[in-house]
Amino acid sequence: MTLVMGILNVTPDSFSDGGEWDTADAAIAKGLSLAQEGADIVDVGGESTRPGAERVEPGEEVTRVLPVIEALAGEGVTVSVDTMRARTARAAVDAGARIVNDVSGGLADPDMARIVAELECDYVAMHWRAHSTEMNEWAHYDDVVREVRDELAARVGALVAAGIAPARIILDPGLGFAKVGDSNWDLLAHLDVFEQLGAGHRLLVGASRKRFLGAAIARAGEEQGDPAPASARDHATTAITTMCAQQGVWAVRVHDARAARDAVQVVSAWQNARERQR
């Protein structure tokens, strides 16, 4: 059954919920709520990676996420840390995180692969080409599915060479990261390509509230080219979750854990009924 990874941004500037959970107490309460609503994993991040976001100082990132991770792990919540820095990854795993979710796939910090290999934790390697301030300048592809597949395959090779066990590597096609418009839909339509990269790599899909969903559901009468706002994209996100669950994707990364859990359970019930009829 597809797992639900709940998003917990301990940041003032994330695109959808920046500033809502930017104190430790608020973030801990939100993380516990996500778990109660059905999140199998709570993904704690202390640095926004929205388009145009500036990087935070390494010490500030650690200060933001560490007390939250410690508290949630202490309550038995499975925690992942959303970071591109090896220093933060090590501190987070020492504090109880079980997964490192690196949107750069190890490209942003040359020490990341080595540290993750030493930590022996699961590792999400997302497709990535550039930092947030310039990533849209890299959103040009002749064949987005082939190029993302090949670039992810190259990252897997480098990560395994650094000592990370293949079974610990989880792949993420990086929707919205150096991808605009139809590129995201092309990737979603060919998720099987990434599941076939070999070594049984699991697949994580993070579409929650992203701009390409807003463009797809823009309402009549709205200014042409203006997508629906992030706050209006949860139903569209749940549609993506449903399709991912139908395809057996390992996990979806979402803001609304309850809606995602409901969608996954409905797909599971439907699939179980079909199996009983065979």
Side-chain angles (χ1 to χ4, degrees):
M1 185 182 294
T2 295
L3 302 181
V4 174
M5 177 184 281
I7 298 168
L8 180 53
N9 293 316
V10 193
T11 60
D13 57 342
S14 291
F15 82 95
S16 167
D17 56 359
E20 292 188 28
W21 326 111
D22 62 350
T23 67
D25 287 345
I28 292 164
K30 176 61 176 178
L32 293 173
S33 177
L34 285 167
Q36 292 166 359
E37 291 169 0
D40 301 286
I41 304 159
V42 174
D43 190 42
V44 181
E47 178 178 45
S48 174
T49 52
R50 63 174 173 77
E54 298 286 346
R55 302 214 67 188
V56 302
E57 291 299 317
E60 175 63 20
E61 183 185 27
V62 171
T63 297
R64 289 175 180 179
V65 302
L66 221 58
V68 180
I69 291 169
E70 288 176 339
L72 294 178
E75 293 292 329
V77 176
T78 299
V79 178
S80 59
V81 59
D82 178 2
T83 184
M84 294 183 278
R85 291 189 172 101
R87 169 186 171 183
T88 305
R90 182 183 288 282
V93 172
D94 288 346
R98 292 167 54 183
I99 303 168
V100 174
N101 180 15
D102 179 0
V103 300
S104 81
L107 290 170
D109 186 336
D111 291 330
M112 180 65 89
R114 176 181 58 82
I115 294 299
V116 169
E118 293 174 4
L119 293 170
E120 297 185 329
C121 61
D122 283 357
Y123 179 71
V124 179
M126 195 192 81
H127 176 265
W128 184 88
R129 285 185 164 181
H131 284 291
S132 298
T133 51
E134 56 181 311
M135 66 181 176
N136 284 345
E137 299 171 22
W138 291 82
H140 304 289
Y141 303 86
D142 293 323
D143 182 334
V144 65
V145 176
R146 176 181 57 78
E147 291 173 57
V148 171
R149 178 202 63 197
D150 291 351
E151 289 169 32
L152 272 178
R155 292 312 307 147
V156 169
L159 296 168
V160 171
I164 301 177
R168 290 198 176 276
I169 299 172
I170 301 156
L171 301 179
D172 180 342
L175 301 176
F177 286 79
K179 325 284 189 315
V180 294
D182 287 347
S183 289
N184 297 287
W185 294 111
D186 291 342
L187 292 168
L188 284 169
H190 295 89
L191 291 177
D192 58 308
V193 168
F194 305 102
E195 294 171 337
Q196 294 168 5
L197 279 177
H201 301 304
R202 292 160 285 171
L203 188 64
L204 172 68
V205 171
S208 190
R209 297 181 181 172
K210 290 189 174 176
R211 184 180 178 86
F212 75 96
L213 295 181
I217 62 171
R219 304 294 193 269
E222 293 179 348
E223 184 178 345
Q224 187 174 3
D226 188 23
S231 59
R233 301 172 191 168
D234 280 338
H235 295 318
T237 300
T238 303
I240 299 295
T241 294
T242 302
M243 290 185 283
C244 287
Q246 288 175 323
Q247 289 191 232
V249 167
W250 172 72
V252 289
R253 184 175 181 273
V254 298
H255 295 84
D256 188 338
R258 187 182 302 279
R261 170 57 55 205
D262 288 350
V264 168
Q265 289 181 319
V266 167
V267 170
S268 179
W270 189 333
Q271 291 176 334
N272 289 341
R274 295 186 66 178
E275 287 296 322
R276 290 196 298 270
Q277 296 301 316
R278 290 183 179 178

